[in-house]
Amino acid sequence: MSENHSLSDYQDLDIQSYLEAKLWISSILEPAVCVTGMVGNLLSLAALSSKQLKGPSYFFLRSLMVTDFNVLMWIFISNLMWRAQMTTYAFAFFYAHLEQPLINGLMCTSNYVTVALSIERFLAVCRPVSFAGNTHNNLNAKICVFLIFTASVLVATPYCFEFTVIIKGWDERANRTEYDLTNNKEVIIGKYANAWNAYMWLQSGVIRIAPFFLLLLLNIGTFCTFQSKMKWRQQRQPNSPKERRNRSLTEPQNRRLMCLLVCTVSVYFVCMTPALVMVFVEGYTNKWRLTVIITNLIETLTFTANFYVYCLASSFFRANLKKKFCSQKSENHDPNSNHGNMQLMDIKQKNTTHLLEAGAEPTNTTNIDRSTNNLDRSTV
């Protein structure tokens, strides 16, 4: 596949340096980021898949991890396919009409699932009376994620008109037609150019700008209210044992969720801000082409870094992760396991044999077996 750029596209750019940097980023850095992120998202899902972690907040977190995993997987697959430089019609059709809508739709879904998580925490902290109703169950969270995904796909669908498939030539060796893709001139510079430019600004506003400012406002309000409520609760002593018990149960959970939310949103702001800035400057000069590629790589880190930030900032997350992967080891030492029971039967049989050899009555072995059983269980 060709890059579909003419020399005039690089008239104020060092072409050689640009192509070398682009090749290094797309061939080494981006695949490494994708693989690292996919592994991290799978581990995050494992850590938060406990049946005890119920509620819409954890459902939104798990949905975010699934979406981020799919974003990175398709970026990685797309990168590998592009390196293959295949010239079949299916390959050209995928890049012309499916790749951009798919990846941008998933990225938009990830951004708005983060917004949904922030709204849920905002209502829990700032509007607890309305949040205490029946409007925050898992069914509504699932419907919300489905609607987000559907709307994101619709927003990204016009990307399928950006490129078109063309016939490149005839492959004598394979005895078949070769295909390539190129910019759809009617859409980019033709009679639909104004509509396309309007759409590009619209999708930038929907996918990047709107989530950025929504998250900024929601999380400032949530964090400030949460801090003031924690200070108020520390100053006020509970009046009854029931209130003390409820506080001991709810406060740790609220702090854990707030920690995960702050981590998620911090990663989003750090990695998304450069891409948001480039929305306003990338079309003015070719000097920014390499910068755009770098900011796209940083934006990819948005879908990669959550797991590693969770591990650094949340002891609860680390404990869940350790518990998940150490559970199999602990099961092997479970006294109720088959291995433990076989050992217990061997001990009983040996004790009975020794008693019979010593001339003891067999009827007394029951009490000894019971005491051995208790000893074995206490030892394990």
Side-chain angles (χ1 to χ4, degrees):
M1 291 289 168
S2 62
E3 287 292 333
N4 297 309
H5 294 300
S6 63
L7 291 176
S8 60
D9 292 334
Y10 304 102
Q11 56 187 354
D12 53 351
L13 185 70
D14 185 348
I15 301 175
Q16 188 63 32
S17 299
Y18 167 76
L19 293 178
E20 287 178 358
K22 182 178 179 181
L23 181 64
W24 192 69
I25 291 172
S26 61
S27 300
I28 300 175
L29 283 182
E30 195 170 58
V33 168
C34 290
V35 172
T36 305
M38 286 189 286
V39 172
N41 281 296
L42 288 177
L43 292 174
S44 298
L45 275 174
L48 298 181
S49 62
S50 173
K51 294 181 179 179
Q52 297 176 350
L53 302 178
K54 300 178 180 179
S57 295
Y58 291 109
F59 178 79
F60 284 132
L61 281 170
R62 288 190 288 267
S63 300
L64 179 64
M65 294 162 191
V66 171
T67 307
D68 289 351
F69 176 85
N70 279 279
V71 171
L72 296 169
M73 181 184 70
W74 283 108
I75 292 175
F76 183 73
I77 291 174
S78 174
N79 218 319
L80 287 181
M81 291 175 63
W82 187 264
R83 295 298 123 203
Q85 291 290 303
M86 299 172 63
T87 57
T88 62
Y89 180 81
F91 183 83
F93 183 87
F94 170 78
Y95 272 98
H97 304 299
L98 297 179
E99 183 211 16
Q100 288 293 325
L102 178 64
I103 294 177
N104 280 279
L106 289 171
M107 290 172 64
C108 184
T109 302
S110 176
N111 292 343
Y112 278 96
V113 169
T114 307
V115 172
L117 173 63
S118 298
I119 292 174
E120 193 270 343
R121 285 292 87 200
F122 176 83
L123 293 175
V125 174
C126 302
R127 301 289 186 271
V129 176
S130 59
F131 183 80
N134 296 322
T135 59
H136 61 284
N137 54 43
N138 281 333
L139 178 60
N140 287 338
K142 292 177 182 178
I143 294 173
C144 179
V145 171
F146 174 77
L147 293 177
I148 288 173
F149 176 74
T150 304
S152 300
V153 170
L154 292 176
V155 169
T157 297
Y159 266 113
C160 66
F161 302 110
E162 183 178 8
F163 297 98
T164 185
V165 178
I166 60 172
I167 296 176
K168 184 179 180 181
W170 179 262
D171 188 351
E172 295 290 346
R173 293 183 178 180
N175 196 26
R176 61 175 176 83
T177 305
E178 292 184 328
Y179 295 91
D180 203 345
L181 67 145
T182 187
N183 290 324
N184 191 341
K185 293 182 179 180
E186 288 191 359
V187 172
I188 304 300
I189 59 175
K191 57 182 178 180
Y192 301 112
N194 291 332
W196 179 253
N197 290 331
Y199 165 72
M200 292 301 292
W201 279 104
L202 176 65
Q203 66 87 22
S204 295
V206 171
I207 295 178
R208 289 189 174 98
I209 300 173
F212 185 91
F213 288 104
L214 282 172
L215 288 172
L216 185 64
L217 295 175
L218 285 169
N219 286 281
I220 288 176
T222 302
F223 186 74
C224 292
T225 305
F226 181 79
Q227 290 295 101
S228 62
K229 285 189 175 183
M230 288 297 103
K231 290 180 181 178
W232 178 79
R233 287 186 178 183
Q234 289 174 357
Q235 296 172 358
R236 178 180 175 275
Q237 296 297 326
N239 298 324
S240 64
K242 182 179 180 181
E243 187 177 352
R244 285 195 294 270
R245 185 171 61 254
N246 290 336
R247 179 180 293 188
S248 65
L249 292 174
T250 57
E251 282 192 6
Q253 181 180 1
N254 289 333
R255 289 184 181 276
R256 289 196 298 263
L257 288 171
M258 184 58 63
C259 178
L260 294 176
L261 176 64
V262 170
C263 293
T264 303
V265 174
S266 299
V267 168
Y268 179 88
F269 284 137
V270 170
C271 298
M272 193 62 69
T273 300
L276 181 65
V277 172
M278 294 310 300
V279 168
F280 300 98
V281 300
E282 85 175 90
Y284 294 140
T285 174
N286 292 319
K287 292 179 180 179
W288 297 104
R289 284 186 178 274
L290 183 58
T291 309
V292 170
I293 295 175
I294 295 173
T295 55
N296 287 339
L297 177 65
I298 296 173
E299 187 178 7
T300 306
L301 291 173
T302 307
F303 315 103
T304 301
N306 283 332
F307 167 76
Y308 305 98
V309 176
Y310 293 161
C311 287
L312 288 173
S314 175
S315 58
F316 163 74
F317 184 84
R318 293 194 299 271
N320 266 286
L321 190 64
K322 183 178 180 181
K323 181 180 178 182
K324 187 70 177 180
F325 289 98
C326 294
S327 60
Q328 186 66 33
K329 183 177 179 181
S330 62
E331 286 177 1
N332 293 336
H333 297 281
D334 190 353
N336 295 322
S337 64
N338 293 332
H339 181 66
N341 290 334
M342 290 298 293
Q343 288 181 333
L344 185 61
M345 291 173 65
D346 291 340
I347 293 172
K348 289 181 179 180
Q349 187 175 3
K350 290 177 181 179
N351 287 334
T352 304
T353 304
H354 290 318
L355 288 170
L356 289 174
E357 290 176 352
E361 293 292 331
T363 54
N364 294 332
T365 59
T366 304
N367 293 332
I368 296 175
D369 288 345
R370 287 176 181 171
S371 64
T372 306
N373 187 6
N374 293 333
L375 177 63
D376 182 75
R377 290 179 181 273
S378 63
T379 303
V380 176

